[in-house]
């Protein structure tokens, strides 16, 4: 049996990343964790500029809130210091670039002298960050990377929680299964960016489509950063596409939707991953964001400790909601609790405090890390409606609304 698209992608990425890791370890010296002063310094590479800046804005806010809450409770107890220490967050702009993550991390580690690290956003960027952290023996706590990208590296000084693209890719098909017969898609299309994340998720969508009895009328790689998608839209229109699964950046997704409207092409069901959940997406499109479905990693309606309060805090400050800040906040929660369990900021000690352990009462629920350092969370599906994310999956109380043609809205 020939390997599938997703399996080939995983294998190739695993080999390439392994080579990068071996090279990094060969170069690296050891910087010893030093939370022996008056504070614990946590570093975070964040996309403050570039195409993922909208994601970065929410991530930075969530990390800042988590650190403020930790300090409000007195800080983190560190046995090596013999007392509770306050936390200081230091951020470096990775410019939404995989190539810039390494320099951002090295600045945080070598210049800012951080004790431990919180992750940036997106799989390839987080893999690059994790490799640098491994080189310098600084623990790097990750969310928003797919396990198939990270697990093959068998890294010691990072851990990950996120959803798996396999179950995540099944969400739209589970939604379609519950629709009335006249609303079920007949000619769905897959529009997935030409990137490691896009190819990996694309393979998961193809497997899910086969499982649920669908085939894609259009399934072509989507050029990143292009300014003219008219050829793609013409092909979608000619193929009578009535549903789209779209994996791409916020900037590219906004461009695609604007050009779809200009060319008079719409579909009843458009579900986006990576590019449709940010508040900036809604701000860019205004009412045209209505009916668009999004992915997400969290919901303020979750019944977990602190989830509603965090969601209320975000909405009070920004006058909008978020489907991600809880995951980023929980990332900081896990790292802080792990440092306290470990009794120090030593990366090996933090590893032992996380791998194979459970963390209860985070804002994403209880997180159970396996022996590889991975913990699974569910993907959510929401629909934009009048500037709000309405939760559909899992266990949402919102009924999906099919989108009418542009001139009927």
């Amino acid at each position: 049996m020939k390997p599938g698209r997703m399996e080939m992608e995983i294998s190739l990425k695993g080999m390439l990343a392994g080579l990068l890791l071996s090279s990094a370890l060969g170069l690296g010296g050891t910087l010893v964790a030093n939370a022996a002063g008056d504070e614990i310094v946590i570093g975070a590479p964040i996309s403050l500029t570039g195409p993922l800046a909208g994601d970065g804005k929410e991530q930075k806010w969530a990390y800042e809130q988590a650190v403020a809450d930790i300090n409000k409770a007195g800080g983190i107890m560190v046995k090596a210091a013999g007392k509770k220490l306050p936390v200081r967050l230091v951020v470096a702009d990775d410019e939404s670039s995989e190539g810039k993550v390494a320099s951002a991390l090295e600045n945080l580690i070598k210049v800012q002298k951080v004790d431990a690290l919180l992750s940036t956003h997106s799989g390839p960027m987080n893999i690059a960050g994790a490799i640098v952290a491994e080189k310098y023996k600084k623990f790097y706590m990750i969310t928003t990377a797919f396990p198939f990208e990270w697990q093959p590296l068998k890294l010691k000084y990072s851990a990950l929680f996120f959803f798996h693209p396999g179950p995540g890719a099944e969400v739209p098909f589970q939604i379609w299964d519950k629709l009335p017969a006249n609303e079920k898609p007949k000619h769905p299309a897959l529009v997935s960016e030409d990137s490691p994340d896009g190819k990996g998720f694309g393979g998961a969508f193809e497997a899910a489509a086969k499982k649920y009895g669908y085939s894609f009328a259009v399934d072509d790689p989507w050029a990143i950063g292009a300014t003219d998608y008219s050829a793609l839209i013409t092909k979608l229109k000619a193929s009578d596409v009535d549903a789209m699964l779209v994996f791409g950046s916020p900037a590219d997704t906004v461009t695609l939707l604007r050009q779809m409207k200009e060319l008079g092409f719409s579909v009843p069901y458009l579900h986006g991953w990576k590019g449709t959940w940010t508040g900036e997406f809604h701000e860019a499109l205004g009412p045209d964001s209505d009916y668009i479905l999004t992915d997400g990693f969290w919901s303020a309606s979750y019944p977990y400790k602190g989830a509603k309060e965090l969601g209320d805090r975000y909405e009070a400050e920004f006058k909008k909601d978020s489907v991600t800040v809880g995951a980023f906040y929980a990332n900081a929660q896990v790292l802080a609790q792990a440092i306290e369990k470990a009794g120090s900021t030593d990366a090996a000690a933090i590893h032992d405090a996380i791998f194979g352990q459970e963390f209860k009462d985070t804002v994403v629920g209880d997180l159970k890390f396996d022996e590889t350092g991975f913990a699974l969370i569910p993907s959510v599906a929401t629909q934009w409606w009048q500037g709000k994310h309405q939760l559909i999956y899992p266990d949402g109380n919102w009924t999906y609304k099919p989108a009418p043609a542009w001139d009927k809205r």
Side-chain angles (χ1 to χ4, degrees), residues 338-383:
I339 291 171
E340 190 151 302
K341 286 182 181 181
S344 81
T345 57
D346 176 73
I350 296 174
H351 166 281
D352 293 343
I354 295 178
F355 281 50
Q357 303 299 317
E358 185 172 10
F359 290 75
K360 291 186 174 294
D361 294 329
T362 80
V363 293
V364 297
D366 295 345
L367 289 170
K368 190 171 185 178
F369 289 86
D370 63 21
E371 295 304 320
T372 73
F374 173 69
L376 182 69
I377 61 171
S379 174
V380 308
T382 71
Q383 186 170 36

Side-chain angles (χ1 to χ4, degrees), residues 17-41:
L19 290 172
L20 286 169
L21 177 60
S22 297
S23 175
L25 291 174
L27 291 170
T30 299
L31 298 184
V32 179
N34 62 17
D38 297 326
E39 61 183 4
I40 297 171
V41 184

Side-chain angles (χ1 to χ4, degrees), residues 38-43 63 66-68 70-71 74-76 84-90 118 336 339:
D38 297 326
E39 61 183 4
I40 297 171
V41 184
I42 302 297
Y63 285 165
V67 167
I70 291 165
N71 288 335
I76 298 174
K84 277 193 170 186
L85 296 178
V87 178
R88 178 164 62 91
L89 178 69
V90 181
L118 293 168
I339 291 171

Side-chain angles (χ1 to χ4, degrees), residues 296-309 363-365 377-381 391 393-394:
F297 332 126
W298 176 76
S299 171
S301 64
Y302 278 173
Y304 306 132
K305 183 178 179 180
K308 183 180 184 303
E309 291 79 3
V363 293
V364 297
I377 61 171
S379 174
V380 308
L391 184 65
Y393 179 95

Side-chain angles (χ1 to χ4, degrees), residues 103-149:
S103 58
L105 262 289
E106 293 212 345
N107 176 272
L108 289 167
I109 294 168
K110 296 166 72 174
V111 179
Q112 303 298 333
K113 307 296 184 184
V114 301
D115 298 301
L117 295 153
L118 293 168
S119 71
T120 184
H121 178 59
S122 98
M125 292 169 63
N126 271 322
I127 297 308
I131 290 172
V132 173
E134 195 82 1
K135 169 183 171 181
Y136 289 104
K137 293 183 170 59
K138 292 292 181 181
F139 202 88
Y140 186 66
M141 188 64 224
I142 309 172
T143 190
T144 68
F146 293 124
F148 71 79
E149 299 171 301

Side-chain angles (χ1 to χ4, degrees), residues 62-235:
Y63 285 165
E64 289 172 343
Q65 295 299 306
V67 167
D69 289 345
I70 291 165
N71 288 335
K72 188 176 180 180
I76 298 174
M77 181 66 198
V78 179
K79 290 180 183 177
K83 59 182 178 180
K84 277 193 170 186
L85 296 178
V87 178
R88 178 164 62 91
L89 178 69
V90 181
V91 170
D93 185 11
D94 59 34
E95 302 177 42
S96 303
S97 168
E98 184 179 348
K100 298 293 180 65
V101 172
S103 58
L105 262 289
E106 293 212 345
N107 176 272
L108 289 167
I109 294 168
K110 296 166 72 174
V111 179
Q112 303 298 333
K113 307 296 184 184
V114 301
D115 298 301
L117 295 153
L118 293 168
S119 71
T120 184
H121 178 59
S122 98
M125 292 169 63
N126 271 322
I127 297 308
I131 290 172
V132 173
E134 195 82 1
K135 169 183 171 181
Y136 289 104
K137 293 183 170 59
K138 292 292 181 181
F139 202 88
Y140 186 66
M141 188 64 224
I142 309 172
T143 190
T144 68
F146 293 124
F148 71 79
E149 299 171 301
W150 175 81
Q151 283 178 315
L153 302 180
K154 299 180 180 179
L155 300 175
K156 182 178 181 181
Y157 301 125
S158 57
L160 165 69
F161 71 86
F162 201 47
F163 67 90
H164 194 286
E170 291 190 17
V171 170
F173 300 98
Q174 293 174 359
I175 293 173
W176 295 350
D177 265 3
K178 296 178 181 179
L179 296 180
N182 65 327
E183 292 184 10
K184 292 181 186 291
K186 305 295 189 299
H187 307 288
L190 174 60
V191 180
S192 190
E193 69 178 21
D194 192 7
S195 71
D197 274 358
K199 291 173 183 176
F201 221 120
F205 280 128
E206 290 166 353
K210 183 176 181 180
K211 176 179 177 179
Y212 286 86
Y214 287 89
S215 60
F216 291 119
V218 175
D219 180 3
D220 295 336
W222 183 22
I224 296 175
T227 57
D228 184 358
Y229 294 121
S230 59
L232 170 61
I233 294 168
T234 298
K235 185 172 184 178

